[in-house]
Amino acid sequence: MDELRYLKRLVDDPVPSDSVVDEARSSLRDHIDASSLQQELLSLTDHFNDDCIPLPEWSEPPVQATRNRRWLPIGAAVAAVAVLASTVVLLTDRPVPASALLDLAHAVEVLPDEMLVEVAVERQATIQSLAILPLDVDDPASGVVGAIVNGEEVRRISTDGVIQIESTAIDVEFLAKVDPEAEAELRGLIGVGADAIVTTRLPDDSGIEPNLRTEDAANLAQRLREIVARFGNPDVADSAETLQEVAELHTAYVLTTGQRAAVLKALAMVDGLRVDRTDSGVRVSAAYTTERGREHLSLEFDANGWLIRETLTLVDGVLGVTPDSVDEFDARYTPPRLAP
Amino acid sequence: MNGSAGNGFSDAEIIARSLVEPHAFGEIFNRHYRTIYRYGARRLGVEAADDIAMEVFLRAFDLRDRFDIDRSSCRPWLFGIASNVCRTESRRRYREARAVRRINVEPLLIDPSADIAWRVDAHQQVKDCGLIESINQLRDEERETLLLFALADATYSEIAETLEVPIGTVRSRLARIREKLREPLQRLRDSTEEAGP
């Protein structure tokens, strides 16, 4: 038998239960209903002039639209409030123009390519990560506690795309009081201390779209946009998911100056990002909502276009476990240098 | 949710119809949900499969106006969305795993070959035969091709559409993969045959 067909035969064949299928179908139906209503409401907003505050045309929607939706006026009123609220947010929270990104891109693309990837390079990082831990490792029902694990990391990136990560847990800060005995056990299990160095090979854990890293700089920006447009989540497609792809690109590969510039230009084309100038570069942020709640993702680039900081904040925290505005992930990277 | 579109219509025709009659999209769900569920389960585990499959169809509905209706089947498009959803979930898991080194972290959780190894029976034998190491040595585009072939049951043309490469490239990649995995798979086959049923 062909080798790969043999491999396929070994793979199991999971089948969803009828209840799982029914639940999924029901969720999709609800989503379609909500989406349809949203489209109807949006079509109503077409009546409004951009320069004036919406007036209660909301309360008198077309007869056809209300025939089967008696509650539409209430929804429309709510939507009108939302429109007003979002207008206020836009006026008071307007980001710096994306020209900051283009300025940096133009400065980066004329830099010499000092780091052609002919040999392995390494990047060092200090990383703060949120961990949700069981209070008693032997008893899953014992409850959980949040902890901030501070660590250091050295990742070596070789020419064949293999990444080797050496990480060390330096310290841990528990977000709630923990029994001293349990704390000692958790510290030991987390691996706080010099003996906790773990080396991992991560060839493609980056999740980068195949071939993206080898794209010419001229195509990279377009490809990034295409990927997000085809497969992204429309709710966050043009912001968070693009930022995630960019973070993965920067931490998994050593980009040329042209590619770094292309990434910055791609970000300049994305709607919904907040751009702030920093002392030496720019910070790009996206705020969005996931099933876990509101999140805030931020990438910071230095004057050479290298990613030097990546922060993911859980705006709402985790109920009963972590406070609001806790950083799930905060990594500060050095620019790459030739590995010794 | 079935809408009036259904059997006899291509995926493209149904999606086009769903733009004016949204509930017609339910037929796309009926046709492909189990396939996408299976793909998600094989990549990230049964416990995550329902969430992944659900996310894929919600995204697909929202993105349906971007579907290329010149393509008859939407399976490659759904596979592409599913791959993206799986990668996002993998990133989230990896970040969590990185914070905690010795608990709640199966070694394979941070091993990209886990996508396949998790779903293969006789896990220890898979490790022993060197299959994981061999998969680790694959290039990223080769691995994605293998995942679609082995876990999604995608055809060559569907893989080509999903990855946006010529079908000849898919064939040559699979030939290379086949060669690279030949020895460990042979060892695995020998060991499982020795172990007997």
Side-chain angles (χ1 to χ4, degrees), chain A:
Chain A
M1 183 191 299
D2 172 278
E3 286 78 7
L4 296 185
R5 296 198 185 284
Y6 174 67
L7 182 60
K8 283 178 76 166
R9 204 187 68 175
L10 289 174
V11 174
D12 56 10
D13 189 23
V15 177
S17 65
D18 289 344
S19 64
V20 165
V21 177
D22 289 344
E23 190 178 337
R25 185 180 284 114
S26 174
S27 295
L28 178 62
R29 188 183 295 123
D30 292 345
H31 183 73
I32 290 174
D33 284 339
S35 175
S36 300
L37 175 61
Q38 187 182 33
Q39 287 304 314
E40 287 184 55
L41 293 173
L42 284 174
S43 69
L44 290 174
T45 63
D46 289 343
H47 297 297
F48 301 133
N49 184 314
D50 288 342
D51 296 325
C52 67
I53 295 175
L55 295 173
E57 277 185 79
W58 294 104
S59 60
E60 298 174 12
V63 173
Q64 190 174 4
T66 56
R67 190 168 294 154
N68 299 315
R69 300 184 192 281
R70 294 174 187 277
W71 39 272
L72 186 60
I74 299 172
V78 172
V81 172
V83 168
L84 281 173
S86 62
T87 303
V88 171
V89 169
L90 284 173
L91 290 174
T92 57
D93 194 27
R94 190 179 294 278
V96 172
S99 60
L101 280 164
L102 293 177
D103 290 346
L104 182 57
H106 294 319
V108 169
E109 65 188 348
V110 297
L111 293 172
D113 249 329
E114 74 284 8
M115 201 74 69
L116 292 175
V117 194
E118 298 298 330
V119 290
V121 300
E122 69 175 29
R123 304 189 76 173
Q124 294 180 323
T126 54
I127 295 179
Q128 178 182 298
S129 303
L130 173 67
I132 309 294
L133 306 168
L135 279 168
D136 182 344
V137 177
D138 298 322
D139 178 12
S142 61
V144 294
V145 62
I148 303 294
V149 181
N150 294 294
E152 291 179 350
E153 179 182 287
V154 178
R155 65 173 57 201
R156 295 186 181 82
I157 307 170
S158 62
T159 51
D160 59 1
V162 173
I163 307 166
Q164 186 181 60
I165 296 178
E166 189 173 283
S167 59
T168 308
I170 302 296
D171 195 13
V172 58
E173 172 195 348
F174 291 95
L175 297 174
K177 190 166 178 56
V178 181
D179 173 74
E181 192 175 330
E183 180 174 330
E185 186 178 8
L186 289 173
R187 282 177 174 275
L189 288 166
I190 289 171
V192 177
D195 64 341
I197 293 175
V198 174
T199 299
T200 309
R201 289 164 61 88
L202 293 175
D204 294 308
D205 194 62
S206 63
I208 298 296
E209 184 80 1
N211 297 323
L212 190 59
R213 70 188 167 99
T214 57
E215 287 286 345
D216 292 337
N219 294 329
L220 184 58
Q222 179 62 25
R223 286 285 292 142
L224 269 172
R225 286 198 297 273
E226 285 175 1
I227 290 167
V228 171
R230 278 190 75 202
F231 303 128
N233 180 344
D235 294 338
V236 292
D238 291 336
S239 53
E241 294 212 356
T242 311
L243 281 188
Q244 287 172 357
E245 290 287 344
V246 165
E248 298 299 332
L249 263 175
H250 264 274
T251 52
Y253 305 106
V254 180
L255 303 181
T256 64
T257 52
Q259 288 175 325
R260 272 140 49 207
V263 163
L264 294 166
K265 287 178 183 175
L267 291 176
M269 300 291 291
V270 173
D271 291 331
L273 292 176
R274 181 187 178 94
V275 182
D276 296 294
R277 293 183 193 274
T278 61
D279 289 344
S280 61
V282 294
R283 182 187 308 109
V284 191
S285 311
Y288 53 94
T289 302
T290 72
E291 60 187 16
R292 297 193 303 172
R294 287 180 295 158
E295 296 183 0
H296 187 262
L297 179 63
S298 172
L299 303 184
E300 189 173 327
F301 300 89
D302 70 6
N304 295 319
W306 293 115
L307 175 67
I308 57 171
R309 188 171 185 186
E310 175 187 0
T311 308
L312 176 62
T313 304
L314 304 181
V315 176
D316 298 323
V318 177
L319 192 61
V321 182
T322 73
D324 292 346
S325 298
V326 67
D327 284 340
E328 179 181 284
F329 187 77
D330 184 358
R332 296 164 190 257
Y333 304 100
T334 64
R337 65 178 186 184
L338 293 180

Side-chain angles (χ1 to χ4, degrees), chain A residues 1-8 10-16 20-21 24-25 27-29 31-33 35-36 127 129-134 149 153 155 165 167-169 188-190 195-196 198 200-207 209-211 213 223 228-234 241 244-245 248 253 292 310 312 329, chain B residues 1 22-23 25 29-30 33-34 37-38 41-42 46 50 54-55 57-59 61-63 66 77 80-81 84 87-88 91-92 94-96 98-104 110 112 116 119-121 131 136-141 143-144 146 149-151 153 161-165 173-174 177-178 181-182 185 188-189 192:
Chain A
M1 183 191 299
D2 172 278
E3 286 78 7
L4 296 185
R5 296 198 185 284
Y6 174 67
L7 182 60
K8 283 178 76 166
L10 289 174
V11 174
D12 56 10
D13 189 23
V15 177
V20 165
V21 177
R25 185 180 284 114
S27 295
L28 178 62
R29 188 183 295 123
H31 183 73
I32 290 174
D33 284 339
S35 175
S36 300
I127 295 179
S129 303
L130 173 67
I132 309 294
L133 306 168
V149 181
E153 179 182 287
R155 65 173 57 201
I165 296 178
S167 59
T168 308
L189 288 166
I190 289 171
D195 64 341
V198 174
T200 309
R201 289 164 61 88
L202 293 175
D204 294 308
D205 194 62
S206 63
E209 184 80 1
N211 297 323
R213 70 188 167 99
R223 286 285 292 142
V228 171
R230 278 190 75 202
F231 303 128
N233 180 344
E241 294 212 356
Q244 287 172 357
E245 290 287 344
E248 298 299 332
Y253 305 106
R292 297 193 303 172
E310 175 187 0
L312 176 62
F329 187 77
Chain B
M1 192 170 63
H23 280 284
F25 196 80
F29 176 96
N30 293 338
Y33 178 80
R34 284 171 176 78
Y37 176 94
R38 189 184 305 120
R42 287 171 170 175
V46 172
D50 49 351
M54 190 67 262
E55 177 68 16
F57 281 92
L58 297 185
R59 281 195 193 192
F61 175 77
D62 291 341
L63 290 164
R66 300 178 187 174
W77 179 62
I81 295 174
N84 246 25
R87 283 202 297 266
T88 300
R91 278 195 289 257
R92 190 186 67 74
Y94 172 59
R95 280 182 170 151
E96 287 182 358
R98 197 150 62 165
V100 183
R101 288 156 179 75
R102 296 186 187 173
I103 55 175
N104 293 339
I110 53 175
I116 288 176
R119 300 296 113 206
V120 176
D121 295 335
L131 180 60
N136 276 344
Q137 298 301 321
L138 297 177
R139 300 175 64 83
D140 48 2
E141 58 268 30
R143 176 171 297 104
E144 197 68 24
L146 177 63
F149 179 80
L151 304 190
D153 296 327
E161 271 191 50
T162 304
L163 301 180
E164 295 182 309
V165 296
R173 275 185 197 169
L174 286 172
I177 295 166
R178 190 174 285 115
L181 300 186
R182 185 185 304 279
L185 278 171
L188 177 63
R189 190 184 300 196
T192 51

Side-chain angles (χ1 to χ4, degrees), chain B residues 1-2 16 21 26 29 45-46 52 64-65 68 95 97 112 115 119 127-129 141 153 155 163 175 182 188:
Chain B
M1 192 170 63
N2 292 329
E21 188 185 328
F29 176 96
V46 172
I52 289 170
R64 68 195 190 285
D65 60 337
D68 180 358
R95 280 182 170 151
D115 278 345
R119 300 296 113 206
K127 290 174 74 174
D128 292 343
C129 76
E141 58 268 30
D153 296 327
T155 65
L163 301 180
R182 185 185 304 279
L188 177 63

